[in-house]
Amino acid sequence: YVAGDSLYTEGITHWANGSGTQVSQCVVEPVNSKDVATILRFLGSTRTPFAVKGAGHHANPGFSSTTGVHISMRQFNEITYNEAAQTVRVGAGLLWDDIYAKLAPHNVSVVGARALGVGVPGFLLGGGYSWLGNQYGLALDNVMSYELVQPTGKIVEVTQASQPDLFFALKGGGNNFGIVTKFTLKTYPQGPVWGGLIMIDGSHIPEVADAVTDFSLNIDDPKAGMDTLYINVNGSVVVTQLVFYDGPAPPPGIFEAILAIPSFVKDVQTRSFLSFMASGGPFPVDQRTLFHSVSMLQFSPTISEVIRNETVFWGEFLKDKSASVVSYAIEPFHPGIYAHNTTATAFPADRSIPFYPYIIWFCWKDPAMDDVFYDAARQSAEVIADAAIAEGQTAVAYTPMYINPSLIGTPLERLYGKNIPRLRKIKAKVDPQNVMGLAGGFKL
Ligand SMILES: Cc1cc2nc3c(=O)[nH]c(=O)nc-3n(C[C@H](O)[C@H](O)[C@H](O)COP(=O)(O)OP(=O)(O)OC[C@H]3O[C@@H](n4cnc5c(N)ncnc54)[C@H](O)[C@@H]3O)c2cc1C
Ligand SMILES: *[C@@H]1O[C@H](CO)[C@@H](O)[C@H](O)[C@H]1NC(C)=O
Ligand SMILES: *[C@@H]1O[C@H](CO)[C@@H](O)[C@H](O)[C@H]1NC(C)=O
Ligand SMILES: *[C@@H]1O[C@H](CO)[C@@H](O)[C@H](O)[C@H]1NC(C)=O
Ligand SMILES: *[C@@H]1O[C@H](CO)[C@@H](O)[C@H](O)[C@H]1NC(C)=O
Ligand SMILES: *[C@@H]1O[C@H](CO)[C@@H](O)[C@H](O)[C@H]1NC(C)=O
């Protein structure tokens, strides 16, 4: 498809369209893995820059966009539930929404994204923090097998038994090893859940900080989850709070404190898993966008105050530089989240440190301001990390950073740590011509 065709536009369009999208020469749409192999061989032999995109949620320019050939995986939309095996085979062109909806009538679900609209492949190849993660691990821990088109055009089914090196590498290694066409995921029983969105005025941040700190220090129930966002809205800070319990009602003692804080939106109820997913944002933005992350160990009132101040400070500083969103997400998980792997994985490089990615999210309109926003995000991440280190969370200086929301330019060492040598060896074997180097991303 070429410019002017609706499937061309659909192919190149990104969630954060202002910065994620580039104008490509064309969009090519394979219908099966043999097509993908033909395309990869052609792109490799002609050294043509290309991109492969899931739902285009990565905001870094060039990570799933290109000025060359854009590969659209839209035809890979299979969802085959295997009740006996408790698995589902899914295509790489899907959104998590599609899978949740297809599985709902069977009363099962999968470990997928915490919001609607997110793509399956980038999420699974990078990590995957889910509302079900405390119970079942990262999304990548729940992939049983991958259909992979290697950069040489060879098509392989990658399992721990058949290809242990590639199985390790695909669990966090992004697009370095070829194009994945299908994933087989574990499914889990899923009934109604409890939770939803609460919005609280920033004047109540001290109470929010106490409630979230208490929650994160005492989560011994892996069915409970929280996500707290401080966002600068026209100079004032607003708290967007999500609460979740995997059951029709939470037991007493978990959410009382956060629910007691005065709020101006409170949509918390027993509902279907899919209805819960639809209750929170964030929503697509047709602007320049960045995500960056800080891997934190423990929330506290002190850290809360630092993050609140960052929200106010950068909101003010970036206001006349065309900012539209300045926000920080605090995402406490259960310390057991990293204990669910059945094999070694590329990410995280160290499972012994219970770190959680806090996400910085900025949006702006003026392309001339890109560097200002990138610098601001890097400086702000450093301020937050330094505050944690000063509080005694010394491991924050070297905790793995989550590749999916990490800003372009993040050192590979912070993303893959001690796994780099093994990953590079596998890479050299599978992709000797570095065909995947023609696509953007964090490159080995
Ligand atoms: C609104 C929103 C909500 C989010 N929620 C969560 C969340 O709950 N938990 C969480 O952990 N993360 C979350 N994220 C981050 C998310 O994991 C990443 O943005 C992820 O990259 C999304 O996958 P995608 O397929 O849409 O990405 P894309 O931007 O399409 O791709 C990302 C990377 O994967 C590569 N890739 C895509 N398809 C393939 C393929 N078939 N084979 C090989 N490589 C491929 C691309 O080349 C690119 O480098 C969220 C992001 C947003 C914007
Ligand atoms: C996204 O950006 C592309 C390229 O600028 C444009 O063609 C497309 O219409 C945009 N899509 C949306 C939904 O804004
Ligand atoms: C799913 O659960 C509902 C409510 O408990 C029940 O009525 C329905 O029969 C279940 N469906 C399947 C396929 O088990
Ligand atoms: C922010 O201020 C602008 C200009 O006064 C106004 O148009 C906009 O609605 C405000 N946004 C919010 C979310 O209050
Ligand atoms: C608020 O944050 C800014 C930017 O990081 C910093 O310069 C300032 O000292 C902070 N203010 C307080 C009171 O901590
Ligand atoms: C889980 O991952 C860690 C770190 O990579 C590894 O040491 C451990 O052996 C893995 N667990 C299993 C059961 O393979």
Side-chain angles (χ1 to χ4, degrees), residues 215-241:
F215 173 83
S216 66
L217 283 172
N218 297 301
I219 1 180
D220 46 17
D221 187 337
K223 293 182 176 175
M226 269 198 194
D227 183 324
T228 308
L229 186 89
Y230 294 176
I231 181 164
N232 190 312
V233 177
N234 280 348
S236 333
V237 180
V238 167
V239 180
T240 301
Q241 174 71 48

mmCIF file of all heavy atoms in Angstrom, residues 215-241:
data_model
loop_
_atom_site.group_PDB
_atom_site.id
_atom_site.type_symbol
_atom_site.label_atom_id
_atom_site.label_comp_id
_atom_site.label_asym_id
_atom_site.label_seq_id
_atom_site.Cartn_x
_atom_site.Cartn_y
_atom_site.Cartn_z
ATOM 1 N N PHE A 215 -0.111 0.290 51.282
ATOM 2 C CA PHE A 215 -0.482 -0.797 50.360
ATOM 3 C C PHE A 215 0.767 -1.530 49.870
ATOM 4 O O PHE A 215 0.850 -2.752 49.911
ATOM 5 C CB PHE A 215 -1.264 -0.223 49.172
ATOM 6 C CG PHE A 215 -1.555 -1.235 48.093
ATOM 7 C CD1 PHE A 215 -2.652 -2.090 48.194
ATOM 8 C CD2 PHE A 215 -0.735 -1.344 46.970
ATOM 9 C CE1 PHE A 215 -2.919 -3.034 47.205
ATOM 10 C CE2 PHE A 215 -0.991 -2.278 45.973
ATOM 11 C CZ PHE A 215 -2.087 -3.123 46.095
ATOM 12 N N SER A 216 1.777 -0.755 49.422
ATOM 13 C CA SER A 216 2.929 -1.392 48.792
ATOM 14 C C SER A 216 3.798 -2.130 49.808
ATOM 15 O O SER A 216 4.463 -3.100 49.468
ATOM 16 C CB SER A 216 3.750 -0.374 47.990
ATOM 17 O OG SER A 216 4.329 0.566 48.855
ATOM 18 N N LEU A 217 3.778 -1.678 51.070
ATOM 19 C CA LEU A 217 4.561 -2.381 52.098
ATOM 20 C C LEU A 217 3.874 -3.660 52.559
ATOM 21 O O LEU A 217 4.523 -4.552 53.077
ATOM 22 C CB LEU A 217 4.762 -1.468 53.316
ATOM 23 C CG LEU A 217 5.822 -0.378 53.180
ATOM 24 C CD1 LEU A 217 5.769 0.552 54.390
ATOM 25 C CD2 LEU A 217 7.210 -1.005 53.052
ATOM 26 N N ASN A 218 2.569 -3.698 52.371
ATOM 27 C CA ASN A 218 1.812 -4.805 52.971
ATOM 28 C C ASN A 218 1.049 -5.671 51.980
ATOM 29 O O ASN A 218 0.184 -6.437 52.375
ATOM 30 C CB ASN A 218 0.826 -4.255 54.021
ATOM 31 C CG ASN A 218 1.569 -3.577 55.148
ATOM 32 O OD1 ASN A 218 2.381 -4.205 55.823
ATOM 33 N ND2 ASN A 218 1.345 -2.286 55.329
ATOM 34 N N ILE A 219 1.361 -5.542 50.644
ATOM 35 C CA ILE A 219 0.586 -6.404 49.738
ATOM 36 C C ILE A 219 1.030 -7.841 49.948
ATOM 37 O O ILE A 219 2.073 -8.243 49.442
ATOM 38 C CB ILE A 219 0.800 -6.190 48.207
ATOM 39 C CG1 ILE A 219 1.813 -5.126 47.841
ATOM 40 C CG2 ILE A 219 -0.488 -6.111 47.466
ATOM 41 C CD1 ILE A 219 1.966 -4.979 46.318
ATOM 42 N N ASP A 220 0.231 -8.593 50.679
ATOM 43 C CA ASP A 220 0.534 -10.019 50.704
ATOM 44 C C ASP A 220 -0.511 -10.782 49.908
ATOM 45 O O ASP A 220 -0.406 -11.980 49.745
ATOM 46 C CB ASP A 220 0.709 -10.548 52.130
ATOM 47 C CG ASP A 220 -0.386 -10.066 53.041
ATOM 48 O OD1 ASP A 220 -1.420 -9.609 52.507
ATOM 49 O OD2 ASP A 220 -0.224 -10.129 54.275
ATOM 50 N N ASP A 221 -1.511 -10.057 49.395
ATOM 51 C CA ASP A 221 -2.528 -10.705 48.560
ATOM 52 C C ASP A 221 -2.216 -10.402 47.089
ATOM 53 O O ASP A 221 -2.383 -9.273 46.632
ATOM 54 C CB ASP A 221 -3.906 -10.149 48.950
ATOM 55 C CG ASP A 221 -5.028 -10.899 48.257
ATOM 56 O OD1 ASP A 221 -4.770 -11.505 47.190
ATOM 57 O OD2 ASP A 221 -6.158 -10.870 48.776
ATOM 58 N N PRO A 222 -1.753 -11.420 46.341
ATOM 59 C CA PRO A 222 -1.327 -11.154 44.957
ATOM 60 C C PRO A 222 -2.478 -10.819 44.010
ATOM 61 O O PRO A 222 -2.233 -10.465 42.857
ATOM 62 C CB PRO A 222 -0.643 -12.469 44.546
ATOM 63 C CG PRO A 222 -1.222 -13.509 45.429
ATOM 64 C CD PRO A 222 -1.581 -12.829 46.719
ATOM 65 N N LYS A 223 -3.729 -10.892 44.501
ATOM 66 C CA LYS A 223 -4.853 -10.526 43.640
ATOM 67 C C LYS A 223 -5.101 -9.015 43.630
ATOM 68 O O LYS A 223 -5.902 -8.526 42.851
ATOM 69 C CB LYS A 223 -6.126 -11.235 44.112
ATOM 70 C CG LYS A 223 -6.043 -12.737 43.928
ATOM 71 C CD LYS A 223 -7.314 -13.418 44.353
ATOM 72 C CE LYS A 223 -7.203 -14.899 44.051
ATOM 73 N NZ LYS A 223 -8.364 -15.640 44.550
ATOM 74 N N ALA A 224 -4.417 -8.292 44.539
ATOM 75 C CA ALA A 224 -4.670 -6.850 44.678
ATOM 76 C C ALA A 224 -3.650 -6.041 43.893
ATOM 77 O O ALA A 224 -2.474 -6.395 43.852
ATOM 78 C CB ALA A 224 -4.607 -6.468 46.156
ATOM 79 N N GLY A 225 -4.112 -4.964 43.251
ATOM 80 C CA GLY A 225 -3.200 -4.100 42.505
ATOM 81 C C GLY A 225 -3.609 -2.643 42.563
ATOM 82 O O GLY A 225 -4.774 -2.307 42.827
ATOM 83 N N MET A 226 -2.622 -1.762 42.341
ATOM 84 C CA MET A 226 -2.854 -0.315 42.320
ATOM 85 C C MET A 226 -1.980 0.321 41.262
ATOM 86 O O MET A 226 -0.920 -0.207 40.945
ATOM 87 C CB MET A 226 -2.443 0.318 43.652
ATOM 88 C CG MET A 226 -3.509 0.422 44.678
ATOM 89 S SD MET A 226 -2.962 1.641 45.924
ATOM 90 C CE MET A 226 -4.133 1.276 47.210
ATOM 91 N N ASP A 227 -2.413 1.458 40.768
ATOM 92 C CA ASP A 227 -1.610 2.255 39.844
ATOM 93 C C ASP A 227 -1.976 3.710 40.127
ATOM 94 O O ASP A 227 -3.152 4.080 40.073
ATOM 95 C CB ASP A 227 -1.976 1.857 38.409
ATOM 96 C CG ASP A 227 -1.141 2.588 37.372
ATOM 97 O OD1 ASP A 227 -0.808 3.772 37.565
ATOM 98 O OD2 ASP A 227 -0.853 1.982 36.341
ATOM 99 N N THR A 228 -0.982 4.507 40.461
ATOM 100 C CA THR A 228 -1.219 5.886 40.887
ATOM 101 C C THR A 228 -0.491 6.832 39.953
ATOM 102 O O THR A 228 0.704 6.655 39.722
ATOM 103 C CB THR A 228 -0.670 6.083 42.323
ATOM 104 O OG1 THR A 228 -1.208 5.058 43.160
ATOM 105 C CG2 THR A 228 -1.038 7.440 42.881
ATOM 106 N N LEU A 229 -1.210 7.806 39.399
ATOM 107 C CA LEU A 229 -0.594 8.749 38.456
ATOM 108 C C LEU A 229 -0.753 10.167 38.983
ATOM 109 O O LEU A 229 -1.862 10.577 39.331
ATOM 110 C CB LEU A 229 -1.304 8.615 37.107
ATOM 111 C CG LEU A 229 -0.739 9.413 35.940
ATOM 112 C CD1 LEU A 229 0.326 8.594 35.228
ATOM 113 C CD2 LEU A 229 -1.839 9.765 34.942
ATOM 114 N N TYR A 230 0.377 10.898 39.091
ATOM 115 C CA TYR A 230 0.308 12.326 39.394
ATOM 116 C C TYR A 230 0.408 13.050 38.069
ATOM 117 O O TYR A 230 1.368 12.861 37.331
ATOM 118 C CB TYR A 230 1.481 12.758 40.287
ATOM 119 C CG TYR A 230 1.503 12.178 41.700
ATOM 120 C CD1 TYR A 230 2.570 12.457 42.559
ATOM 121 C CD2 TYR A 230 0.479 11.368 42.183
ATOM 122 C CE1 TYR A 230 2.618 11.945 43.854
ATOM 123 C CE2 TYR A 230 0.516 10.847 43.471
ATOM 124 C CZ TYR A 230 1.591 11.134 44.304
ATOM 125 O OH TYR A 230 1.639 10.621 45.575
ATOM 126 N N ILE A 231 -0.581 13.891 37.785
ATOM 127 C CA ILE A 231 -0.572 14.578 36.484
ATOM 128 C C ILE A 231 -0.804 16.078 36.675
ATOM 129 O O ILE A 231 -1.649 16.471 37.498
ATOM 130 C CB ILE A 231 -1.607 13.943 35.516
ATOM 131 C CG1 ILE A 231 -1.607 14.628 34.149
ATOM 132 C CG2 ILE A 231 -3.003 13.895 36.079
ATOM 133 C CD1 ILE A 231 -2.308 13.828 33.060
ATOM 134 N N ASN A 232 -0.025 16.884 35.945
ATOM 135 C CA ASN A 232 -0.160 18.332 36.037
ATOM 136 C C ASN A 232 -1.263 18.776 35.083
ATOM 137 O O ASN A 232 -1.132 18.642 33.871
ATOM 138 C CB ASN A 232 1.172 19.005 35.679
ATOM 139 C CG ASN A 232 1.157 20.487 35.993
ATOM 140 O OD1 ASN A 232 0.215 21.194 35.641
ATOM 141 N ND2 ASN A 232 2.203 20.965 36.648
ATOM 142 N N VAL A 233 -2.351 19.268 35.620
ATOM 143 C CA VAL A 233 -3.462 19.761 34.803
ATOM 144 C C VAL A 233 -3.548 21.268 34.992
ATOM 145 O O VAL A 233 -3.960 21.739 36.052
ATOM 146 C CB VAL A 233 -4.802 19.090 35.201
ATOM 147 C CG1 VAL A 233 -5.949 19.660 34.396
ATOM 148 C CG2 VAL A 233 -4.722 17.585 35.015
ATOM 149 N N ASN A 234 -3.106 22.017 33.997
ATOM 150 C CA ASN A 234 -3.135 23.480 34.034
ATOM 151 C C ASN A 234 -2.538 24.050 35.314
ATOM 152 O O ASN A 234 -3.100 24.961 35.924
ATOM 153 C CB ASN A 234 -4.586 23.988 33.896
ATOM 154 C CG ASN A 234 -5.026 23.973 32.438
ATOM 155 O OD1 ASN A 234 -4.216 23.809 31.535
ATOM 156 N ND2 ASN A 234 -6.313 24.164 32.219
ATOM 157 N N GLY A 235 -1.435 23.495 35.754
ATOM 158 C CA GLY A 235 -0.748 24.077 36.904
ATOM 159 C C GLY A 235 -1.086 23.426 38.231
ATOM 160 O O GLY A 235 -0.385 23.648 39.209
ATOM 161 N N SER A 236 -2.162 22.633 38.273
ATOM 162 C CA SER A 236 -2.442 21.932 39.531
ATOM 163 C C SER A 236 -2.214 20.437 39.326
ATOM 164 O O SER A 236 -2.364 19.926 38.218
ATOM 165 C CB SER A 236 -3.884 22.091 39.988
ATOM 166 O OG SER A 236 -4.417 23.273 39.508
ATOM 167 N N VAL A 237 -1.888 19.768 40.416
ATOM 168 C CA VAL A 237 -1.659 18.325 40.317
ATOM 169 C C VAL A 237 -2.965 17.593 40.631
ATOM 170 O O VAL A 237 -3.669 17.934 41.575
ATOM 171 C CB VAL A 237 -0.541 17.875 41.279
ATOM 172 C CG1 VAL A 237 -0.315 16.371 41.169
ATOM 173 C CG2 VAL A 237 0.738 18.635 40.978
ATOM 174 N N VAL A 238 -3.260 16.586 39.789
ATOM 175 C CA VAL A 238 -4.420 15.736 40.005
ATOM 176 C C VAL A 238 -3.906 14.300 40.111
ATOM 177 O O VAL A 238 -2.948 13.936 39.433
ATOM 178 C CB VAL A 238 -5.420 15.892 38.834
ATOM 179 C CG1 VAL A 238 -6.486 14.814 38.859
ATOM 180 C CG2 VAL A 238 -6.056 17.279 38.866
ATOM 181 N N VAL A 239 -4.533 13.493 40.968
ATOM 182 C CA VAL A 239 -4.151 12.089 41.110
ATOM 183 C C VAL A 239 -5.173 11.219 40.392
ATOM 184 O O VAL A 239 -6.371 11.317 40.651
ATOM 185 C CB VAL A 239 -4.104 11.666 42.602
ATOM 186 C CG1 VAL A 239 -3.713 10.197 42.729
ATOM 187 C CG2 VAL A 239 -3.162 12.562 43.383
ATOM 188 N N THR A 240 -4.673 10.404 39.464
ATOM 189 C CA THR A 240 -5.514 9.410 38.802
ATOM 190 C C THR A 240 -5.149 8.065 39.407
ATOM 191 O O THR A 240 -4.020 7.606 39.267
ATOM 192 C CB THR A 240 -5.214 9.399 37.297
ATOM 193 O OG1 THR A 240 -5.476 10.682 36.793
ATOM 194 C CG2 THR A 240 -6.074 8.424 36.574
ATOM 195 N N GLN A 241 -6.085 7.468 40.100
ATOM 196 C CA GLN A 241 -5.792 6.267 40.890
ATOM 197 C C GLN A 241 -6.617 5.099 40.368
ATOM 198 O O GLN A 241 -7.839 5.186 40.292
ATOM 199 C CB GLN A 241 -6.171 6.562 42.350
ATOM 200 C CG GLN A 241 -6.062 5.393 43.284
ATOM 201 C CD GLN A 241 -4.611 5.024 43.552
ATOM 202 O OE1 GLN A 241 -3.787 5.888 43.845
ATOM 203 N NE2 GLN A 241 -4.289 3.750 43.427
#
